[in-house]
Amino acid sequence: MDAGSNLEARTQTIESFSCGYRAGFKIKWRTPSRDADLVKGYEVNWREESIAYDRQSGTKSVGLDTEFTTPCSLKLQPGRLYWTTVRTIVELKHPKETIFVEETASSIILG
C-alpha cells in the first residue's frame, strides 16, 4: 500500500436527484484512514462521459466538508454518465509541501 492511499478520501455514497428538467448529484466521502491532521481540504471533480465537444465538467473546493451537492444552476443533464472524484489536499510538514491525493473515480447516471 502506498502512502498516498492512507491520505485518500473514499466515496461512501453518490446519489442522483432531479432539478426540474435537469439533474444533479450528492456525494459523501470518508476522511482518510490515517494522518487526518494533515488534511487541509477537499475538491470534488466531475465530468460528463461524452464524445461531445461541450461536455460538462467542473471542480468545487469544499473546505473540510465531507459532502457536496451540485447546485441546480449547473444544469447537469439527466440520463448522462458522469465521473466524480474527491481530491484530498494535504499539507506535509517535513518537507513543507502541499500535495493532492485523488481517489479512484466513481460513476453515476443522473436521473
Side-chain angles (χ1 to χ4, degrees), residues 50-66:
S50 172
I51 59 171
Y53 175 74
D54 62 345
R55 69 180 179 199
Q56 293 181 296
S57 64
T59 299
K60 177 69 175 172
S61 294
V62 298
L64 291 171
D65 290 344
T66 56

Side-chain angles (χ1 to χ4, degrees), residues 28-102:
K28 293 182 181 182
W29 58 91
R30 287 191 308 264
T31 58
S33 59
R34 295 178 56 191
D35 299 318
D37 60 313
L38 299 176
V39 175
K40 297 303 169 204
Y42 302 97
E43 290 179 352
V44 178
N45 301 290
W46 64 91
R47 67 176 169 80
E48 178 184 357
E49 181 70 31
S50 172
I51 59 171
Y53 175 74
D54 62 345
R55 69 180 179 199
Q56 293 181 296
S57 64
T59 299
K60 177 69 175 172
S61 294
V62 298
L64 291 171
D65 290 344
T66 56
E67 65 180 64
F68 170 71
T69 302
T70 56
C72 292
S73 62
L74 287 178
K75 300 180 181 175
L76 302 179
Q77 299 293 315
R80 304 264 177 99
L81 176 68
Y82 286 82
W83 290 94
T84 65
T85 56
V86 177
R87 178 186 285 181
T88 306
I89 303 165
V90 178
E91 191 170 289
L92 300 177
K93 295 178 180 47
H94 302 289
K96 188 162 178 64
E97 157 180 30
T98 300
I99 63 169
F100 302 91
V101 181
E102 197 163 293

